[in-house]
Structures are given as C-alpha cells and as structure tokens.
C-alpha cells in the first residue's frame, strides 16, 4: 500500500486538482478530480477551539495548507477515546510524532459535497484530509 501511495502521490495540491483550486475550496463543475494523494514534508494534527480535529500540511512542493478538517476515523477514534485532557494531549503528541517519523507523510485529500455555509453565495466543495500515512522507509 505504501509503495502504491508513494507512486501516485503528487507534491502540490494543484498537481492533483488542477488550476481551478481556490485555496481550500473549488467549484464542483471546475474540479478535475475529487480525491488525490499528496506527498507532504510535514503534517500537524490538532484540535481547534471548537473541539474539532484539524490538520496543517506542508507539501513537498512547498505549499503550506492550514486548518483543514481531518476525517481519518482511526486517529479520530483513538484521540476521542482519551480519558481526560492530559491523556488526549499525550496521544496527540504521539500521533504527530508517528505520522512524521522518517519524514514525508502521505495524505489522502479530497473534497466535501458541495454546500454554501453562509447560504448567500454559491455551493463550493471544501478540501479535507481523509487519511494520513507515515512514510515507510525502505
């Protein structure tokens, strides 16, 4: 699996989704694809002020992408089952260390279904991270 992901990973979000990417969103009809594999230099999983799991990515192509939803259920379940804040912080540190061990984690990135969060503009698809894999060194 890691070899396959490494072979299909791209260094920049635009290499995956094309030139119509607008930061962390896209117009559904303008997307070249909805899912891809991103070669990263570093990832940082964190919890935002609303208690939601977020992730910051630094891509191998030099793009810094901050504050994306992190929907990897394996990690979300592990962190969410922590008994107390101290255990949660310890687990979060472990997750970040494990994902970045050896450098170059691989992220599976995709778009949400189209929606307009303010209800006044037009529907957009929002970028999210569906899974992250640590780079396995051969």
């Amino acid at each position: 699996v890691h070899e396959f992901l490494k072979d299909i990973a791209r260094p920049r979000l635009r290499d995956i989704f094309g030139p119509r990417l607008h930061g962390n969103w896209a117009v559904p009809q303008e997307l070249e694809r909805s899912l891809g594999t991103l070669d990263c230099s570093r990832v940082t999983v964190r919890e935002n002020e609303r208690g939601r799991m977020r992730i910051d990515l630094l891509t191998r192509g030099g793009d810094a992408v901050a504050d994306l939803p992190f929907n990897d259920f394996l990690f979300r379940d592990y962190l969410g089952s922590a008994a107390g804040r101290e255990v949660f912080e310890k687990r979060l540190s472990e997750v970040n260390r494990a994902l970045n061990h050896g450098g170059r984690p691989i992220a599976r990135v995709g778009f949400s279904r189209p929606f307009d969060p303010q209800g006044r503009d037009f529907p957009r698809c929002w970028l999210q991270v569906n899974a992250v894999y640590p780079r396995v060194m051969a």
Side-chain angles (χ1 to χ4, degrees):
V1 171
H2 283 87
E3 285 300 313
F4 172 74
L5 291 174
K6 185 176 79 171
D7 289 346
I8 65 170
R10 299 293 172 253
R12 302 179 96 92
L13 287 167
R14 289 195 187 279
D15 295 339
I16 298 169
F17 299 114
R20 299 290 185 127
L21 181 65
H22 304 278
N24 65 345
W25 63 273
V27 176
Q29 299 84 349
E30 296 176 350
L31 281 172
E32 292 182 13
R33 63 175 48 111
S34 63
L35 183 66
T37 305
L38 187 62
D39 194 0
C40 298
S41 295
R42 180 152 190 82
V43 300
T44 304
V45 178
R46 60 185 175 75
E47 183 182 46
N48 72 5
E49 62 281 350
R50 296 169 60 190
R52 295 189 176 150
M53 298 311 303
R54 308 299 279 190
I55 191 165
D56 302 325
L57 307 172
L58 179 61
T59 73
R60 290 289 287 175
D63 299 329
V65 187
D67 200 35
L68 295 176
F70 183 53
N71 295 316
D72 188 316
F73 289 109
L74 177 67
F75 292 112
R76 286 177 56 180
D77 287 348
Y78 177 66
L79 294 168
S81 67
R85 192 72 196 166
E86 187 175 318
V87 174
F88 174 84
E89 293 293 337
K90 181 179 178 195
R91 286 184 177 186
L92 185 59
S93 179
E94 291 170 359
V95 164
N96 281 308
R97 190 171 35 258
L99 289 175
N100 290 288
H101 179 74
R104 296 182 63 191
I106 298 171
R108 292 287 289 162
V109 292
F111 282 96
S112 68
R113 291 188 175 119
F115 71 102
D116 178 9
Q118 278 78 36
R120 60 178 181 214
D121 204 44
F122 55 89
R124 301 169 186 192
C125 295
W126 298 88
L127 192 61
Q128 60 189 8
V129 176
N130 300 313
V132 178
Y133 302 90
R135 178 60 59 101
V136 175
M137 305 307 279

